[in-house]
């Protein structure tokens, strides 16, 4: 039996967990630089705020309906997600973290358990320990657990936020209730194609011939069809090491000076290096890109990228900073207003299988220095120890005018209790 645990309106729930006065009030969370809406509470959805809405276009509506608006607080959201996942791991050892607010659980050897009761216990524990409400769907396959989760979320009172598909009758009823465009793995184009041949629900999809599904939706669609038929086809995905690691950001304002861009690119390079070391890998290629603001038609436009090969596989922040700045100097052009830049490390290999070079090699002290820096940053707080080429203040320079306190990761912003 599989279960999908999904945090309800996760970003909004994180804000409410530390500010109960927000309970029942509409909430929206904005993207980087407070550009557009990326998360909405149910109350905000009911007011017609669409996902991806440009914040400036809905400013009057926010005021009119007293909608609480927040900048993305990724430090808080990431920490709360870790807390939720750690709680789930105590209930089931086999877990796949699917996203920041979703996880699949696989219950092997739980045949004598009452899944409904067990799910309610999980839901209550997560709510009690973190303040985050969750919906849980149990089913024989991952695909069906997605549908079960939708039912639990759609009918929280009737299901007590937990729904179990444990019979053929429930499976068919759930499939007939689910629109084809809402099926996990069915994108817009596939949904359109299926609707054109009379497929309106997930149940209709399961009635199609296997050959037709394989021809028009490939083997991926055929696996999904079997999942919906109750035949386990998809397993929990193991955490795989990334083949490329990117750190990119839009700036809080237009940058015109090379020194400004160097500071940003250096910070991006450091972040990529930290991620390489975390997964015990090294890179052989470093890409740097810059571009201007495409929305500013009144300004001259320019974009460029460059790929630089390393002399040896490395995960040293010092080496990757040097290469990234070398690339930036090669593509930078004066006279432009730059709005975004990024660093991407590629050609990733395990750090245990690096090819030695007789003529050039990494400084022998870099490895130990990076280990100490990572340990200190992990112990005393992220980004406390920096390189001289980085800004000693903010790490990510974005417009975050409506940022809530980072209650769980910053001692100076910890919640205050008045007795």
């Amino acid at each position: 039996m599989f279960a999908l645990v999904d945090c309800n309106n996760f970003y909004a729930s994180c804000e409410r967990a530390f500010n109960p006065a927000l309970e029942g009030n509409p909430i929206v969370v904005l993207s980087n630089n407070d550009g557009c809406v990326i998360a909405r509470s149910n109350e905000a959805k009911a007011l017609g705020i669409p996902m991806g809405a440009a914040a400036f276009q809905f400013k009057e509506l926010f005021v009119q309906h007293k909608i609480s608006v927040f900048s993305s607080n990724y430090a808080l959201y990431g920490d709360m997600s870790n807390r939720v996942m750690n709680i789930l791991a105590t209930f089931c050892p086999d877990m796949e973290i699917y996203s920041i607010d979703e996880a699949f659980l696989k219950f092997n050897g739980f045949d004598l358990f009452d899944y409904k009761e067990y799910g309610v216990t999980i839901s209550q524990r997560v709510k009690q320990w973190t303040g985050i409400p969750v919906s849980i769907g149990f089913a024989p396959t991952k695909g069906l657990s997605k549908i079960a989760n939708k039912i639990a979320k759609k009918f929280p009172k009737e299901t007590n936020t937990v729904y179990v598909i444990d019979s053929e009758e429930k499976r068919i009823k759930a499939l007939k209730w689910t629109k084809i465009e809402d099926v996990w793995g069915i994108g817009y184009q596939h949904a359109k194609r299926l609707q054109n041949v009379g497929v309106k629900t997930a149940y209709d999809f399961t009635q199609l011939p296997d050959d037709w599904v394989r021809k028009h939706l490939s083997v991926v669609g055929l696996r999904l069809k079997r999942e919906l038929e109750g035949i386990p086809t998809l397993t929990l995905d193991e955490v795989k090491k990334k083949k490329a690691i990117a750190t990119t950001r839009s700036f809080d304002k237009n940058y015109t000076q090379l020194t400004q861009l160097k500071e940003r690119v250096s910070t991006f390079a450091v972040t990529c290096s930290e991620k390489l070391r975390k997964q015990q890998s090294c890179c052989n290629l470093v890409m740097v890109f810059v571009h201007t603001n495409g929305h500013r038609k009144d300004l001259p436009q320019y974009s460029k990228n460059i790929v630089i090969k390393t002399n040896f596989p490395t995960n040293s922040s010092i080496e990757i900073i040097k290469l990234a700045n070398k690339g930036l100097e090669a593509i930078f052009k004066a006279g432009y207003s730059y709005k975004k830049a990024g660093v991407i490390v590629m050609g990733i290999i395990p750090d245990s299988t690096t090819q030695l070079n007789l003529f050039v090699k990494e400084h022998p002290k870099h490895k130990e220095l990076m280990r100490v820096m990572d340990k200190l940053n992990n112990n005393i707080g992220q980004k406390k120890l920096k390189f001289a080429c980085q800004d000693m203040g903010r790490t990510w320079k974005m417009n975050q005018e409506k940022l809530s306190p980072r209650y769980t990761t910053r001692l100076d912003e910890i919640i205050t209790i008045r007795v």
Side-chain angles (χ1 to χ4, degrees):
M1 185 70 82
F2 288 88
L4 175 66
V5 183
D6 186 9
C7 300
N8 300 339
N9 305 315
F10 181 59
Y11 289 179
S13 294
C14 288
E15 300 293 350
R16 281 174 171 162
F18 295 93
N19 189 354
L22 296 172
E23 199 67 45
N25 296 333
I27 298 173
V28 297
V29 178
L30 305 180
S31 62
N32 291 340
N33 290 309
D34 293 346
C36 59
V37 175
I38 59 169
R40 307 158 296 163
S41 66
N42 289 333
E43 296 82 4
K45 294 175 185 177
L47 291 172
I49 307 295
M51 183 66 84
F56 74 92
Q57 292 180 339
F58 285 81
K59 189 175 285 187
E60 291 184 5
L61 191 64
F62 292 161
V63 175
Q64 179 185 347
H65 293 284
K66 297 180 180 179
I67 298 174
S68 299
V69 182
F70 293 94
S71 302
S72 296
N73 191 341
Y74 294 121
L76 175 64
Y77 306 153
D79 185 67
M80 293 298 286
S81 174
N82 287 336
R83 294 178 185 222
V84 171
M85 300 307 166
N86 287 336
I87 294 170
L88 296 181
T90 65
F91 286 94
C92 180
D94 297 328
M95 180 171 70
E96 174 195 336
I97 299 176
Y98 187 65
S99 68
I100 193 172
D101 62 347
E102 288 180 282
F104 283 104
L105 306 178
K106 187 177 182 182
F107 292 91
N108 286 326
F110 285 73
D111 298 341
L112 300 179
F113 280 68
D114 182 324
Y115 290 115
K116 175 74 175 181
E117 185 179 325
Y118 200 58
V120 171
T121 302
I122 295 173
S123 176
Q124 290 175 346
R125 181 75 55 82
V126 173
K127 176 67 175 176
Q128 182 182 2
W129 287 11
T130 67
I132 305 296
V134 299
S135 298
I136 306 176
F138 286 88
T141 69
K142 289 176 74 175
L144 285 173
S145 70
K146 269 278 191 180
I147 292 178
N149 184 276
K150 283 182 180 292
I151 295 172
K153 189 174 286 189
K154 182 73 174 177
F155 307 103
K157 292 182 180 179
E158 294 85 346
T159 63
N160 200 12
T161 72
V162 178
Y163 188 72
V164 183
I165 296 178
D166 54 3
S167 67
E168 186 66 6
E169 181 185 355
K170 283 186 176 180
R171 182 185 73 85
I172 293 174
K173 186 177 180 181
L175 293 180
K176 288 182 176 180
W177 173 81
T178 306
K179 296 178 181 177
I180 188 61
E181 60 268 26
D182 294 334
V183 174
W184 179 45
I186 299 292
Y188 175 76
Q189 291 298 333
H190 282 324
K192 226 172 144 184
R193 182 182 293 113
L194 290 167
Q195 287 167 350
N196 288 336
V197 295
V199 175
K200 305 298 182 185
T201 66
Y203 179 77
D204 296 337
F205 177 61
T206 61
Q207 303 307 300
L208 291 172
D210 286 355
D211 291 341
W212 190 95
V213 174
R214 187 198 300 272
K215 179 180 178 180
H216 293 90
L217 279 77
S218 77
V219 70
V220 176
L222 186 58
R223 289 195 193 111
L224 176 59
K225 178 176 181 285
R226 288 176 179 168
E227 283 274 310
L228 298 180
E229 289 171 339
I231 305 170
T233 308
L234 303 175
T235 58
L236 296 184
D237 290 338
E238 296 180 359
V239 177
K240 297 178 181 178
K241 293 184 177 180
K242 297 179 180 178
K243 297 180 180 179
I245 294 173
T247 304
T248 70
R249 290 291 188 279
S250 295
F251 308 139
D252 55 341
K253 58 185 178 181
N254 290 332
Y255 288 176
T256 58
Q257 303 299 316
L258 178 60
T259 53
Q260 294 174 307
L261 287 172
K262 274 191 170 183
E263 188 280 321
R264 289 290 79 204
V265 165
S266 296
T267 295
F268 300 160
V270 169
T271 302
C272 287
S273 306
E274 290 170 346
K275 292 177 180 178
L276 280 172
R277 295 193 293 273
K278 188 174 182 180
Q279 69 170 33
Q280 298 178 327
S281 299
C282 293
C283 72
N284 286 286
L285 301 167
V286 178
M287 174 190 281
V288 182
F289 73 84
V290 293
H291 65 69
T292 53
N293 189 344
H295 298 289
R296 290 291 301 275
K297 304 301 182 183
D298 57 318
L299 297 175
Q301 300 297 314
Y302 173 72
S303 64
K304 189 77 173 177
N305 68 71
I306 188 171
V307 178
I308 298 179
K309 192 178 187 310
T310 64
N311 291 322
F312 43 80
T314 183
N315 58 20
S316 165
S317 298
I318 298 171
E319 295 293 341
I320 295 176
I321 286 172
K322 288 179 183 176
L323 293 168
N325 280 318
K326 180 181 177 182
L328 176 63
E329 290 171 358
I331 63 177
F332 175 81
K333 281 188 178 182
Y336 291 95
S337 298
Y338 295 93
K339 186 61 178 175
K340 188 173 184 178
V343 174
I344 305 172
V345 292
M346 304 176 292
I348 294 176
I349 60 172
D351 60 7
S352 58
T353 60
T354 56
Q355 180 68 45
L356 299 178
N357 191 316
L358 289 175
F359 305 103
V360 289
K361 60 181 180 179
E362 191 167 87
H363 195 292
K365 292 185 177 180
H366 281 196
K367 187 173 183 179
E368 184 62 19
L369 176 61
M370 295 301 106
R371 187 189 69 78
V372 172
M373 286 189 69
D374 290 341
K375 185 176 181 179
L376 286 172
N377 277 330
N378 287 334
N379 288 342
I380 65 178
Q382 277 284 12
K383 315 300 181 185
K384 291 292 185 183
L385 198 60
K386 296 185 178 183
F387 292 88
C389 57
Q390 295 181 262
D391 189 322
M392 294 297 108
R394 286 193 297 166
T395 300
W396 307 120
K397 296 185 176 179
M398 300 179 289
N399 286 324
Q400 293 182 308
E401 298 175 359
K402 303 180 185 300
L403 185 67
S404 58
R406 291 158 288 187
Y407 300 103
T408 63
T409 58
R410 293 286 295 264
L411 279 174
D412 57 336
E413 297 180 17
I414 197 168
I415 192 168
T416 303
I417 301 175
R418 293 183 177 86
V419 181

